[in-house]
Structure formats: structure tokens, C-alpha cells
């Protein structure tokens, strides 16, 4: 069972005066899990939350039972998963740092690599992942998982963003980022947001063409002027098209579709990723260093699969 975890009053930095419409000032910020290594990649699956505990090479499962919350190991030794999501059939997908692959789990939770190489070279260390409604898989490939290896371990000349088509073809969509990290589709899937955690500390928006390629890159939000450290990382959209992204200030940033920053939802630890879930998909789950938090919102997230 999970250890007793305290509740906090949520702290808001309401830049626009509208953040309190989305998260009530008196809302409980609940730490639902703690004592973990480094949490990442949350995804809501039916009635429970799955997330990666990267240093301990396991996927954890948290669920609320009648007798209380339960935290267990869903599956261990998967190649150090980071980002997780579900495909159109509801199967779990994962990006692995250690195995340097995108993997898919079958109905018995057995993993199979579905993307390992591009143009004859191994991928760097797939990081975050989203699935388009047509089944195409998009993922980022920064070098974080191979940072401690000799330089020749990086077989790709750049850190790319890729699309794995339903036909199995792997396509490099863009190599403009130093360390592409989190990514998210807008609700209509006409825009793909990609964060760069390699120095610029900004998020870019791309038009998604009919054939799945990316066009019209533009800076969506610049977090670099914010005085506190840390970078954009995991991100998701709500149904209104607002982007919720982890970023500087130990915070989740809330950003309108036009790039206007609504405000920051603060956490006791630096958030790495987030996911919508709960019975109404209005609960925001946030992985933050060695903990996982949840807070109720007044909006609805985009379901996975959507």
C-alpha cells in the first residue's frame, strides 16, 4: 500500500486573471505517491494511473480502492521506460531509455520493440510519445538515455522527432531541436506542439499536414525569460485547446491556443510530465521527481486514446 501522503493547498501564479477559473485557489494538491526514483510518462488506463519510475526500471500502477490507495509495480525491467501512452486499440506504448526503442505491450503485458533504428543507426533514447487518431505514432528522440555512454554511442547525427506510420515506416519529421522532449496534439490534431529542453526553453507549434508531415514551424511560447531554472517537458491539451505543460518555476504552465500564458500551477517538486484522467477526465496527474501529484480542475482533458 502507498505510504500516507499529505495534502497541500494548491499554489497558483495567475498571470492572466483567468487561471482561477480552471483551478480553484482552494483545491487540494494531493501527493498520491512518493519515495520513488524519477517519475515520468503518466497515462490513465480505465480506473488506474500508470507511470514510469525510470531509475528503478519499472512501470508503476496507482489506483484508488475502496479500502484506500494502492501503489504496485505494473511491470518491471522494460528497458527504462519514460513516456507512455495508448494506441488506438488501447495497447500500452512506451519510450525506453535503456533499450533505445519504442515498445508496444500485448494483452499479456509482454513488450515488443516497434521502432529501434533509423537509416541503419540506433535511435538515441526515445522520450515522449503521442498517437494520432489514424494510428500514426509520433515520438521525440533526445540523447538523455545515452548521456553517460561514450560519444560514439549516439548513432543518429541529430535529435529528431519521428513518425511511425501504421505501415511500419519510420520518418524523420524535424531535426531542428537540440533536445526535443514533450509533445502533444491539439484536440483537432491540426497542430503538434513540441518542447525543446536543450537550452532554448521554448515550445514550438507545427501544422500537421494531411500526410502526417509537419509544416509552418513557429515559436509558441518562450519560457526562457522566466527567472527560475528548468525546461519545458511533458505536455497535454485540454478539450478547449489550452496546452498544459511542465516548465520553469516548479510549475505546470497553462497556455491558450494563441500562445497567451494563463498562469502557472505550482508544485513542491519540479514536474516532469502530466496526464488527464479520473472518472470525468478532469483530474490532472503530475509526475514530479520522486513523487506523483493530482489536482482537480474545472476543465476536461483530451482522452487517451481520443
Amino acid at each position: 500500500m502507498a505510504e500516507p501522503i499529505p495534502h497541500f493547498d494548491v499554489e497558483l501564479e495567475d498571470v492572466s486573471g483567468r487561471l482561477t477559473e480552471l483551478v480553484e485557489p482552494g483545491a487540494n494538491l494531493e501527493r498520491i505517491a512518493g519515495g520513488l526514483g524519477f517519475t515520468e510518462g503518466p497515462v490513465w488506463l480505465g480506473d488506474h494511473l500508470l507511470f514510469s519510475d525510470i531509475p528503478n526500471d519499472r512501470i508503476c500502477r496507482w489506483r484508488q480502492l475502496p479500502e484506500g490507495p494502492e501503489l504496485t509495480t505494473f511491470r518491471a525491467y522494460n528497458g527504462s521506460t519514460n513516456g507512455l501512452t495508448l494506441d488506438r486499440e488501447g495497447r500500452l506504448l512506451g519510450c525506453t531509455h535503456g533499450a533505445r526503442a519504442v515498445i508496444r505491450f500485448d494483452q499479456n503485458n509482454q513488450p515488443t520493440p516497434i521502432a529501434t533504428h533509423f537509416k541503419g543507426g540506433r535511435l538515441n533514447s526515445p522520450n515522449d510519445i503521442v498517437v494520432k487518431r489514424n494510428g500514426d505514432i509520433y515520438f521525440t528522440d533526445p540523447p538523455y538515455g545515452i548521456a553517460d555512454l561514450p560519444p560514439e554511442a549516439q548513432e543518429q547525427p541529430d535529435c529528431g522527432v519521428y513518425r511511425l506510420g501504421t505501415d511500419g515506416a519510420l520518418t524523420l519529421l524535424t531535426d531542428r531541436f537540440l533536445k526535443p522532449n514533450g509533445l502533444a496534439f491539439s484536440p483537432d490534431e491540426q497542430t503538434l506542439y513540441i518542447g525543446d529542453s536543450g537550452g532554448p526553453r521554448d515550445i514550438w507549434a507545427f501544422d500537421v499536414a494531411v500526410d502526417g508531415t509537419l509544416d509552418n514551424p513557429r515559436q509558441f511560447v518562450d519560457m526562457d525569460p522566466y527567472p527560475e531554472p528548468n525546461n519545458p517537458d511533458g505536455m497535454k491539451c485540454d478539450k478547449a485547446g489550452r496546452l498544459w505543460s511542465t516548465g520553469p518555476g516548479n510549475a505546470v504552465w497553462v497556455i491558450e491556443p494563441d500562445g497567451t500564458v494563463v498562469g502557472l500551477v505550482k508544485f513542491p517538486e519540479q514536474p516532469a510530465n502530466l496526464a488527464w484522467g479520473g472518472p470525468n477526465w478532469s483530474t490532472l496527474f503530475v509526475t514530479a521527481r520522486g513523487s506523483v501529484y493530482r489536482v482537480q480542475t474545472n476543465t476536461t482533458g483530451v482522452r487517451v486514446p481520443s
Side-chain angles (χ1 to χ4, degrees):
M1 301 293 288
E3 62 181 277
I5 298 295
H7 295 233
F8 305 88
D9 286 337
V10 69
E11 180 184 350
L12 305 177
E13 185 175 326
D14 196 346
V15 176
S16 65
R18 301 191 306 275
L19 183 60
T20 54
E21 299 172 10
L22 302 176
V23 181
E24 295 181 9
N28 261 342
L29 178 62
E30 184 182 3
R31 184 169 172 250
I32 63 173
L36 302 160
F38 189 102
T39 61
E40 253 284 5
V43 62
W44 184 256
L45 180 55
D47 63 352
H48 58 272
L49 183 76
L50 298 178
F51 62 90
S52 298
D53 183 10
I54 299 176
N56 295 313
D57 193 4
R58 63 175 177 164
I59 298 172
C60 298
R61 178 176 68 180
W62 177 92
R63 57 181 176 172
Q64 187 74 52
L65 299 175
E67 63 270 27
E70 178 189 68
L71 180 66
T72 57
T73 296
F74 176 76
R75 184 180 162 86
Y77 310 119
N78 308 295
S80 300
T81 57
N82 188 328
L84 303 172
T85 194
L86 305 176
D87 68 10
R88 298 301 304 161
E89 287 72 45
R91 295 172 296 188
L92 184 66
L93 302 175
C95 290
T96 65
H97 276 187
R100 301 172 66 173
V102 176
I103 58 177
R104 180 170 58 216
F105 294 84
D106 64 20
Q107 59 184 2
N108 297 315
N109 295 329
Q110 297 300 309
T112 298
I114 57 175
T116 60
H117 291 71
F118 181 70
K119 291 187 175 180
R122 293 188 69 184
L123 296 172
N124 296 322
S125 58
N127 188 285
D128 206 1
I129 185 168
V130 291
V131 179
K132 205 164 179 278
R133 292 190 187 99
N134 69 349
D136 288 350
I137 298 168
Y138 291 65
F139 66 93
T140 55
D141 189 41
Y144 290 117
I146 58 174
D148 294 331
L149 299 179
E152 59 268 22
Q154 182 168 335
E155 300 178 23
Q156 297 300 326
D158 300 292
C159 297
V161 180
Y162 294 89
R163 175 172 59 91
L164 180 62
T166 55
D167 59 357
L170 188 61
T171 305
L172 176 63
L173 298 175
T174 178
D175 58 4
R176 72 166 311 279
F177 297 103
L178 293 177
K179 292 180 180 177
N181 203 318
L183 72 174
F185 281 112
S186 61
D188 61 10
E189 296 188 337
Q190 294 185 17
T191 303
L192 181 67
Y193 300 103
I194 304 172
D196 193 341
S197 57
R201 300 208 312 169
D202 57 5
I203 298 172
W204 283 63
F206 294 78
D207 293 341
V208 183
V210 175
D211 63 359
T213 57
L214 304 181
D215 194 13
N216 187 28
R218 65 269 187 197
Q219 189 183 59
F220 178 66
V221 63
D222 184 9
M223 298 178 175
D224 206 43
Y226 199 82
E228 296 189 34
N230 293 305
N231 306 301
D233 200 331
M235 57 187 72
K236 299 290 189 299
C237 280
D238 63 19
K239 280 193 172 181
R242 289 177 289 257
L243 185 70
W244 298 61
S245 172
T246 61
N250 283 9
V252 169
W253 291 50
V254 185
I255 309 157
E256 294 285 4
D258 63 0
T260 300
V261 176
V262 179
L264 282 66
V265 183
K266 300 279 196 153
F267 289 81
E269 304 169 76
Q270 177 60 36
N273 211 332
L274 54 89
W276 297 105
N280 302 313
W281 287 83
S282 59
T283 303
L284 187 68
F285 293 91
V286 177
T287 54
R289 296 305 185 260
S291 304
V292 181
Y293 296 85
R294 68 173 174 177
V295 63
Q296 187 64 31
T297 74
N298 293 326
T299 186
T300 303
V302 176
R303 291 175 178 262
V304 178
S306 59

